[in-house]
Amino acid sequence: MSLVSSNKTAINTYELQIAIGAEEFEKAVETAYRKNKNKVNIPGFRKGKAPRSFIEKMYGEGFFYEDAVNSLYPAAYSAAVDEAGIVPVDRADVEITEVSREKGVALKATVTVKPEVEVSNYKNIAAAKRKVEITDKDIDAELKRMQERNARMVDVDDRPVEKGDNVIIDFTGYVDGETFEGGSAEKFPLTIGSNQFIPGFEDQVIGHKVGEEFEITVTFPEDYQAKELQGQSTVFKINLHEIKTRELPEVDDEFVKDVSEFDTLDELKADLSKKLAERGERAAQEEFENQLIDTVIGNMTAEIPQCMIENNIDEMVQNFEYRLQMQGLDLNTYLQYTGMDAEAFRKTFAEQAEKQVKIRLALEKIGQMENLDASEEEINAKYEELAKNYNMELDRVKLLIAAADVKMDVISQKAIDLVRDTAIVTEAKEEPSDSSAEESK
């Protein structure tokens, strides 16, 4: 096997001419014959006993050629790519230009390759980092969320429905006096103000008491998913069975003992202040690094093949589908529920996929320019991290993810660290609070 020629035919596209010698091809044809002879019926011979010459005479000399070429191609292509010094980013478009017993095989492979990348000014980038300050208002908001999580539902029978209540209702909808599919339910739970129903429905339940039967009139939106209901005026007959409201617990030492490992409210507030500060610092650091990355890819020049972005979208869709399966769902059901088709769904990942490709290319280039490398220990540590994140056996992860990809992940992280460690940190300007804005008027 040999690379005959390598020619750049367009931006990020190469044409490889690959030759497989006659002797090597003959061996592959013989192997294909031995592998497939038991599948061929030749009159006068027991199955699997017909000589190759008889099979080729009956079915043609090239009967085993396809299997032979398929067995030789992967190694021939890989060797040619290595010799040409290119990095493919998509499957090659392969054409067999010649195949014969006398001359062997000639292949033409059209290959999309990784683009040439230039990155400038990736050191000493000036970026603002937000200063994290935790206030009593932040702590009170966190305590409020803890209250909400520990609220209990209580029955209401001494007042009408208010916004925020949970109700149980029967409802039946009529358009021109006729019921319609999906327009009725019994003992349906509804949170008033959740906007679960069409505009106007929940507002008209407010003010009614348990046991009441009443009617409301609403109009379906012009863009409603059921076309036959778009813009239709509809009467709903409603029977109100229950009203429940959320009762928040008192925030005191007893509440603290019930919901945490602390004994007093002051201890809990101190812990919340510490955790909020740590969380805020992580968020501020992430925002800071994102600014640096945006600057790096803004300083990158590259003609990125569309296939790299499409392949990244494929991976994102597969990951999303895997997460759905973990929840007992599938992608088709999700698309039906959201009203999207497959193409529209893919487009939701396009911007993120393009940015990820740019980041990867820029960091790889920085790694090359800075001679960054990854040790065996660092690669193994990354494998262990991936196994933990995916909750998979280490050996399984190593089978699924190539060591070269893991190595590049390590190098890319080192490139990020270099950009961050050389950056010039400036203090972010704080946005004025609502109260400050009011005072300045």
Side-chain angles (χ1 to χ4, degrees):
M1 292 181 280
S2 64
L3 174 66
V4 178
S5 65
S6 170
N7 297 302
K8 187 174 183 179
T9 57
I11 296 175
N12 303 320
T13 304
Y14 276 76
E15 184 180 281
L16 306 181
Q17 299 288 345
I18 306 168
I20 300 173
E23 183 177 348
E24 190 173 7
F25 179 57
E26 171 56 28
K27 288 179 181 178
V29 173
E30 180 64 22
T31 300
Y33 157 69
R34 296 184 182 282
K35 184 178 75 172
N36 295 293
K37 64 181 181 178
N38 291 332
K39 303 174 186 177
V40 182
N41 289 315
I42 299 294
F45 292 93
R46 284 183 296 162
K47 203 167 187 179
K49 297 298 182 180
R52 175 179 152 190
S53 58
F54 275 81
I55 297 174
E56 290 176 338
K57 184 176 181 180
M58 175 165 285
Y59 292 103
E61 183 179 273
F63 185 72
F64 297 109
Y65 282 7
E66 183 176 355
D67 274 356
V69 172
N70 287 341
S71 69
L72 293 169
Y73 169 72
Y77 175 72
S78 179
V81 164
D82 290 343
E83 189 175 345
I86 58 175
V87 181
V89 294
D90 203 9
R91 290 183 179 180
D93 183 10
V94 182
E95 177 186 350
I96 300 174
T97 56
E98 184 177 9
V99 57
S100 68
R101 189 169 295 175
E102 297 75 25
K103 295 184 178 180
V105 183
L107 303 169
K108 180 177 75 174
T110 303
V111 189
T112 303
V113 301
K114 186 176 290 187
E116 296 179 4
V117 177
E118 297 295 333
V119 182
S120 60
N121 303 322
Y122 56 86
K123 292 181 180 179
N124 302 316
I125 298 172
K129 184 176 180 182
R130 176 169 51 86
K131 186 177 181 181
V132 177
E133 292 182 354
I134 304 304
T135 66
D136 289 343
K137 185 177 179 181
D138 297 323
I139 296 171
D140 289 342
E142 192 66 22
L143 286 171
K144 181 69 174 178
R145 282 189 282 271
M146 294 180 72
Q147 267 188 302
E148 294 285 350
R149 289 197 297 269
N150 290 278
R152 65 189 185 96
M153 301 302 297
V154 295
D155 291 320
V156 175
D157 54 17
D158 59 349
R159 64 165 175 80
V161 176
E162 297 177 356
K163 188 172 183 179
D165 287 342
N166 291 284
V167 299
I168 302 294
I169 59 173
D170 299 337
F171 64 85
T172 304
Y174 297 86
V175 175
D176 296 330
E178 300 290 334
T179 60
F180 54 91
E181 185 178 354
S184 62
E186 294 183 354
K187 301 294 179 67
F188 188 89
L190 175 64
T191 300
I192 303 301
S194 64
N195 299 319
Q196 185 177 351
F197 279 22
I198 60 176
F201 187 104
E202 295 170 25
D203 291 341
Q204 294 181 67
V205 177
I206 293 173
H208 293 280
K209 293 185 176 181
V210 171
E212 281 192 46
E213 295 184 10
F214 54 95
E215 293 183 359
I216 64 174
T217 302
V218 296
T219 300
F220 280 95
E222 294 292 343
D223 59 351
Y224 192 68
Q225 62 264 29
K227 291 184 178 180
E228 67 275 11
L229 296 175
Q230 291 176 353
Q232 292 284 350
S233 178
T234 307
V235 174
F236 281 95
K237 293 183 178 181
I238 296 174
N239 185 1
L240 177 57
H241 292 291
E242 296 179 20
I243 305 173
K244 291 180 181 289
T245 189
R246 292 168 62 84
E247 185 177 82
L248 299 177
E250 189 72 25
V251 179
D252 53 20
D253 289 349
E254 291 304 313
F255 170 76
V256 170
K257 291 174 184 177
D258 288 340
V259 301
S260 74
E261 70 271 29
F262 302 105
D263 294 323
T264 68
L265 182 57
D266 286 341
E267 289 176 325
L268 177 58
K269 285 184 174 181
D271 183 67
L272 289 176
S273 179
K274 177 183 175 183
K275 289 178 178 176
L276 287 171
E278 291 171 349
R279 188 190 310 164
E281 183 59 34
R282 287 195 298 270
Q285 182 66 23
E286 184 176 343
E287 293 165 8
F288 173 68
E289 292 187 7
N290 285 339
Q291 290 180 66
L292 299 177
I293 292 298
D294 287 343
T295 301
V296 168
I297 62 177
N299 292 339
M300 180 185 76
T301 303
E303 293 283 348
I304 300 175
Q306 183 61 31
C307 64
M308 293 186 73
I309 298 170
E310 294 298 327
N311 291 341
N312 205 31
I313 293 174
D314 290 341
E315 290 182 13
M316 290 179 167
V317 170
Q318 289 170 5
N319 288 336
F320 188 89
E321 192 167 8
Y322 175 75
R323 292 195 297 272
L324 285 177
Q325 290 170 357
M326 298 295 288
Q327 301 173 41
L329 299 173
D330 61 71
L331 186 57
N332 286 334
T333 302
Y334 175 83
L335 292 178
Q336 291 173 7
Y337 181 77
T338 57
M340 281 194 292
D341 59 27
E343 188 59 32
F345 176 67
R346 284 180 61 83
K347 286 181 179 178
T348 63
F349 295 99
E351 184 177 348
Q352 183 185 0
E354 181 176 1
K355 185 172 182 178
Q356 285 187 357
V357 170
K358 288 180 177 179
I359 292 171
R360 183 80 169 186
L361 290 171
L363 295 177
E364 286 180 8
K365 184 62 177 180
I366 292 172
Q368 291 174 9
M369 291 189 291
E370 295 291 335
N371 296 315
L372 302 178
D373 202 356
S375 67
E376 195 69 30
E377 291 77 10
E378 290 170 327
I379 293 171
N380 287 332
K382 185 64 178 179
Y383 266 127
E384 290 174 1
E385 179 188 332
L386 291 169
K388 182 179 179 180
N389 290 343
Y390 287 113
N391 194 25
M392 294 173 64
E393 294 292 332
L394 181 60
D395 290 342
R396 176 68 174 163
V397 174
K398 288 184 175 181
L399 283 174
L400 294 173
I401 306 177
D405 292 335
V406 174
K407 180 178 181 178
M408 190 51 64
D409 283 343
V410 175
I411 293 173
S412 295
Q413 184 57 55
K414 289 184 177 183
I416 292 175
D417 294 342
L418 183 149
V419 172
R420 182 195 61 230
D421 294 343
T422 61
I424 300 170
V425 184
T426 62
E427 188 172 330
K429 294 181 180 178
E430 293 187 9
E431 295 292 331
S433 65
D434 293 339
S435 58
S436 301
E438 289 294 327
E439 290 171 4
S440 65
K441 289 182 180 178

